[in-house]
Amino acid sequence: MPLALLALAIGAFGIGTTEFVIMGLLPEVAAEFGVSIPTAGYLASGYAVGVLLGAPVFAVLGTRISRKRMLMLLMGLFILGNLVSALAPVFGVMLAGRVIASLAHGAFFGIGSIVAAGLVAPHRKAAAISLMFTGLTLANVIGVPLGTMLGQQAGWRLTFVAVAALGVLGLAGVAALVPRDEPDSRQAPAAGGRIRGELAAFRNVQVLLAMGMTVLGFGGVFAAITYIAPMMTDAAGYADTSVTWLLVLFGIGMVAGNLVGGRFADRALLPMLFTALIALALTLAAFTVTAHDKVAAAVTLALIGAFGFATVPPLQKRVLDQTANAPTLASAMNIGAFNLGNALATWLGGLVLGAGFGPTSPNLVGAALAVGALALAVTSALLERREPASPSPVRAGSPARDEAPSHSVS
């Protein structure tokens, strides 16, 4: 695989670390600024909102300059946001820093997916995308636990300085290793035409179905994971201190599922999706029972991570395949769909917990969401079977960039 994928993975590692490490540092941050834990929680929800807002804005901007330059700009924004958080004198400034950093998230993964797919031969696109996302999954195994430990031992501000340093490393890697490419503006007659070409992707039912699968499929994972601490302590009987290594186990499952999903999606994309979503739904449903046993709970947790993230490379590739001539906005918005799914699942899981259905009840919500994603996958397959083979319906006035030779992004 090209070394440029390593640069993208480093950037993904930094972004994944900063997104999730705040969950382990909320008590320290709340204590320093004199706010409640729920108020400090805005640092997590504010990040999610920033991802949703930043994805379309920077994706559209990304059609006007080269993808390499756009990735460098996004890493610069990520560095700035983390430094603002590290140096924040008051809570409001730290929240602003979190939002600034989050604006880079969706567009980086969206544009990075296009670049990764363009670096390799067509039959290896999903595998290349999965290698970039390996950085995100490894963040949950290595970056988040180490960042949490560093913040608890040496102060949370140092964690954000370290994450900013990861951003500098990622920026340097993109600058040195990602091939130069031409901006989309040289391939389309006018800005209005470029934007219309990007927006046309959303008239493609297959694109909307893929994004729906993203929302529901990964939402199913987060319905369980968001409430894993009370579930593991109240149902399985683990100590509070065990939750960290249980999340590492979940992260290891994510790494494995991501790599397997990328490998097999290049061979048979929809069958890979069907398999992963069926397994995810069954595993989440089983978690309502296995969560009451320590060993079974740990194994199930790893399987949820594996089956959940096995859907990510095929879904991202599905969007790229369906928007070959204007993929930037749709690719970035599909990343935003992950965060939308997280928010939806967290809300629904909280509803069943609040209704008194017990600590394992969010798992049934997750299973229902996974079944919904599976229904969309079946619908997508049936529609595809009825459609005659034809070129991609999205046109931007130029050949598809990701059909270029494997040695070039452009």
Side-chain angles (χ1 to χ4, degrees):
M1 285 290 183
L3 280 176
L5 290 175
L6 176 61
L8 296 174
I10 291 172
F13 181 86
I15 290 174
T17 300
T18 204
E19 179 180 15
F20 296 112
V21 76
I22 190 63
M23 297 176 185
L25 298 177
L26 285 182
E28 287 76 15
V29 174
E32 176 157 343
F33 290 124
V35 299
S36 66
I37 292 292
T39 298
Y42 290 142
L43 297 173
S45 57
Y47 188 97
V49 171
V51 173
L52 291 172
L53 294 177
V57 172
F58 284 98
V60 170
L61 177 61
T63 65
R64 304 189 179 194
I65 63 177
S66 73
R67 286 171 182 153
K68 175 175 180 173
R69 189 171 299 175
M70 190 66 208
L71 289 172
M72 293 173 64
L73 172 64
L74 291 169
M75 288 311 301
L77 192 65
F78 170 80
I79 295 165
L80 173 63
N82 281 286
L83 288 178
V84 169
S85 293
L87 301 173
V90 295
F91 180 78
V93 174
M94 185 179 183
L95 179 59
R98 291 285 293 168
V99 172
I100 291 170
S102 71
L103 293 174
H105 185 123
F108 181 88
F109 282 106
I111 295 172
S113 294
I114 301 170
V115 171
L119 289 168
V120 298
H123 67 280
R124 302 185 71 187
K125 288 182 179 181
I129 292 170
S130 74
L131 285 177
M132 182 190 72
F133 275 95
T134 297
L136 177 62
T137 58
L138 283 175
N140 288 275
V141 179
I142 301 172
V144 173
L146 288 180
T148 301
M149 186 183 305
L150 177 64
Q152 291 172 344
Q153 299 297 323
W156 61 265
R157 293 181 185 273
L158 191 57
T159 295
F160 287 97
V161 172
V163 172
L166 283 174
V168 172
L169 185 60
L171 174 59
V174 170
L177 300 175
V178 172
R180 293 169 57 182
D181 64 307
E182 299 298 330
D184 291 350
S185 59
R186 299 184 187 182
Q187 303 180 31
R194 294 194 301 275
I195 295 174
R196 283 194 297 272
E198 295 287 341
L199 292 175
F202 298 95
R203 295 201 297 269
N204 185 338
V205 175
Q206 293 287 9
V207 173
L208 299 180
L209 287 172
M211 291 185 177
M213 286 181 256
T214 297
V215 171
L216 298 179
F218 215 71
V221 174
F222 264 78
I225 296 306
T226 301
Y227 301 102
I228 197 65
M231 198 183 306
M232 291 297 93
T233 54
D234 296 344
Y238 279 107
D240 291 341
T241 53
S242 299
V243 174
T244 298
W245 73 259
L246 286 168
L247 288 176
V248 170
L249 194 61
F250 169 74
I252 292 172
M254 289 172 64
V255 174
N258 174 59
L259 294 174
V260 171
R263 180 179 178 84
F264 286 96
D266 280 324
R267 300 179 183 180
L269 192 149
L270 284 176
M272 179 65 228
L273 267 179
F274 292 150
T275 302
L277 289 172
I278 290 171
L280 178 62
L282 292 175
T283 305
L284 284 166
F287 202 25
T288 59
V289 177
T290 61
H292 295 278
D293 178 82
K294 287 185 176 182
V295 175
V299 172
T300 307
L301 192 58
L303 290 176
I304 290 173
F307 294 134
F309 227 86
T311 67
V312 175
L315 283 172
Q316 196 67 11
K317 183 177 184 291
R318 181 75 168 168
V319 170
L320 295 183
D321 287 346
Q322 295 293 325
T323 58
N325 296 295
T328 306
L329 180 59
S331 180
M333 288 302 293
N334 194 48
I335 301 301
F338 284 101
N339 288 77
L340 180 60
N342 297 350
L344 173 65
T346 300
W347 175 63
L348 292 175
L351 285 181
V352 297
L353 281 175
F357 287 102
T360 65
S361 57
N363 297 326
L364 293 178
V365 172
L369 290 173
V371 169
L374 178 62
L376 294 183
V378 172
T379 302
S380 178
L382 291 175
L383 288 175
E384 189 170 73
R385 182 174 298 179
R386 294 175 185 175
E387 294 171 356
S390 62
S392 172
V394 182
R395 297 294 173 198
S398 65
R401 288 177 60 157
D402 61 348
E403 293 173 357
S406 62
H407 63 273
S408 172
V409 179
S410 56

